[in-house]
Amino acid sequence: MTRKQSPIPNLNDFKPAQIVCLECNLTRLYGEVIQVIPERRMCWVRPTILAVFAEIDTLTQLYDLRQTSDLLWSLDFFRPALDTEVIPLFSRLNAPDFPPPSPQVVRQQLHAFMDRVWQADRTES
């Protein structure tokens, strides 16, 4: 399992309310920056979407994370998200036919993803 390396961001790269992305294998976590903690190179992020892909652009699963817990994670893992990648995902979440999974499933998916990111980083170090 590998985490896609993001270029090491400058502390000024992220601003509150900006959407950022954390990638691991073919899964992407999108979240809103709440606060940057420069002295620790940490970022307080509110998760919004977890997108699972079969291939680079073939979406297989989408989770609405807006009701999950915030994260405090290293800035080095995140990259700025592009509008062109996020807007279609938000559109799908807000579609009337989007079947929202249970809150428990969503929390489990977020936890499992963050565990994979943590494990991937430990093996790369």
Side-chain angles (χ1 to χ4, degrees), residues 58-78:
T58 307
L59 184 67
T60 59
Q61 191 66 27
L62 190 63
Y63 297 97
D64 183 347
L65 303 178
R66 292 177 285 190
Q67 301 302 315
T68 61
S69 300
D70 292 354
L71 300 172
L72 186 60
W73 208 260
S74 172
L75 276 171
D76 301 336
F77 284 72
F78 293 98

Side-chain angles (χ1 to χ4, degrees), residues 17-38:
Q18 179 180 5
I19 302 297
V20 293
C21 180
L22 190 162
E23 294 180 63
C24 187
N25 294 335
L26 293 172
T27 304
R28 297 178 194 153
L29 169 67
Y30 296 96
E32 175 187 357
V33 174
I34 303 302
Q35 182 179 3
V36 175
I37 305 159

Side-chain angles (χ1 to χ4, degrees), residues 62-64 93 95-103 106:
L62 190 63
Y63 297 97
D64 183 347
L93 281 186
D97 61 341
F98 178 74
S102 74
V106 171

